[in-house]
Structure formats: C-alpha cells, structure tokens
C-alpha cells in the first residue's frame, strides 16, 4: 500500500479513536453523576429554548405582513416562557427530558440496527448490533420507570448509551487501523 494512503488511514483512525475514547469518558462521567448530568442537560435545553425565542422575537420584523410578525412574536414568547419554566422547575424538566430520552433512544436503536444491516459484513460490525440492542433495552427501561426515576435516568442511561456508542466506534477504528498498518 502506498505510504500516502497508509498515512491518511492512520490519521483518520487516530481521530476516530480519540473521539471514541472521549465518548466513552463522557459516558462514564454521566453515569457517575446522573442527577447533575440530567439537570445540566435540561438547563442547556432550556437556554437553547430561550435563545431561540429571542431570535424569533428579534427577527419577527422579517415576517410577511402583520400576521407573520405577530406569529413570530408569539412563537418567540412561547419558546421563552417554556425555557424560563424549565429553568425554574428542574424536576418537571427532568421528567419531560426522561420521556424525550426514551423516544430518542428508541429512534437511535432503530438507526443502529439499520447501520448494522448495511455494514453487517464489515469487521467489527457486530458491535453496532450490540449497541442497537443495548440502546433499545435502555429505551424500554426508561419508558417503564417513567416518571418515578427521572432524577437518575437521564444521566445514567444516556451515559450508558454514550459509553457503548463509544465502544462500538472504537472497535471498528482499531480493526481498520490494524488492517491497514
């Protein structure tokens, strides 16, 4: 194999390995601090809603006609009100987030299964299937315990998903590096 190709493969797999390890580390942190992680994730979402609401209001004048301007202002105020509500009520925020995470993980599991099916003949692709199965189990666990365990679910289960997603990306990168080394 040409030296340039080997260098490009090494560079690509190095970045993949680094990002995979960072994902594994982030998952471990989320698992070890579940309540803090849940509140932090919720706060980020609330601030994003506030920011989005401010943008809607700021750019309302770009609406077509009075109805368009009024609509943008109302949407902006609704986003802002929801953001403020979520910041002031973190328990409600965590319960809502818990339900949203269950839906997200279910969709992620389906996408992991699709990706595995497309790459099933590739070395290390079984890890995608394993990731999909674990993610699906996590989605069902969240749904079945909602809302009573919202204080720990978001951080713990998302952390587990991140951890296994990191592993499922690390193994193929290591296999690829070994194969082209």
């Amino acid at each position: 194999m040409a030296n340039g190709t080997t260098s490009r493969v090494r560079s690509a797999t190095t970045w993949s390995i680094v990002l995979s390890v960072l994902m594994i580390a982030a998952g471990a942190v989320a698992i070890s601090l579940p309540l803090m992680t849940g509140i932090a994730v919720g706060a980020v979402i609330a601030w994003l809603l506030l920011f989005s609401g401010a943008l809607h209001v700021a750019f309302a004048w770009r609406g077509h006609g009075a109805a368009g301007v009024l609509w943008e202002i109302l949407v902006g105020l609704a986003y802002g009100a929801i953001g403020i509500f979520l910041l002031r009520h973190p328990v409600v925020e965590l319960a809502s987030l818990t339900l949203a995470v269950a839906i997200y993980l279910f969709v992620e599991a389906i996408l992991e299964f699709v990706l595995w099916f497309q790459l099933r003949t590739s070395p290390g692709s079984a890890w995608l299937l394993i990731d999909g199965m674990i993610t699906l189990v996590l989605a069902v666990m969240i749904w079945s315990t909602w809302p009573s365990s919202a204080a720990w679910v978001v951080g713990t289960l998302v952390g587990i998903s991140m951890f296994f997603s990191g592993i499922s990306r690390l193994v193929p990168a290591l296999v690829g590096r070994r194969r082209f080394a």
Side-chain angles (χ1 to χ4, degrees):
M1 182 178 291
N3 199 13
T5 302
T6 302
S7 174
R8 285 192 301 271
V9 168
R10 183 171 273 302
S11 176
T13 56
T14 297
W15 279 108
S16 184
I17 291 167
V18 167
L19 294 174
S20 298
V21 169
L22 289 174
M23 184 177 274
I24 292 166
V29 169
I31 292 167
S32 66
L33 302 169
L35 181 59
M36 185 182 298
T37 300
I39 290 171
V41 168
V44 167
I45 291 170
W47 281 106
L48 288 172
L49 286 169
L50 282 170
F51 180 70
S52 181
L55 288 177
H56 275 279
V57 171
F59 292 109
W61 57 272
R62 289 184 164 238
H64 299 289
V69 171
L70 179 60
W71 180 253
E72 286 295 329
I73 289 172
L74 289 175
V75 168
L77 292 175
Y79 274 51
I82 293 168
I84 289 169
F85 178 82
L86 293 176
L87 285 172
R88 298 179 120 224
H89 302 283
V91 173
V92 172
E93 180 180 48
L94 279 176
S96 301
L97 244 153
T98 301
L99 186 57
V101 166
I103 294 166
Y104 159 76
L105 289 174
F106 179 77
V107 171
E108 181 187 351
I110 298 303
L111 294 174
E112 291 288 345
F113 292 141
V114 169
L115 184 59
W116 166 78
F117 186 77
Q118 291 175 341
L119 301 174
R120 66 187 178 277
T121 59
S122 300
S125 66
W127 285 97
L128 293 170
L129 180 61
I130 292 168
D131 183 26
M133 290 187 296
I134 290 170
T135 303
L136 183 60
V137 168
L138 294 176
V140 170
M141 285 174 57
I142 290 173
W143 182 264
S144 68
T145 61
W146 186 82
S148 64
S149 58
W152 62 268
V153 162
V154 172
T156 303
L157 296 182
V158 170
I160 291 169
S161 178
M162 289 169 56
F163 186 85
F164 280 99
S165 289
I167 290 173
S168 74
R169 275 120 182 107
L170 178 63
V171 172
L174 292 171
V175 168
R177 176 175 272 219
R178 191 174 313 129
R179 189 174 199 187
F180 292 102

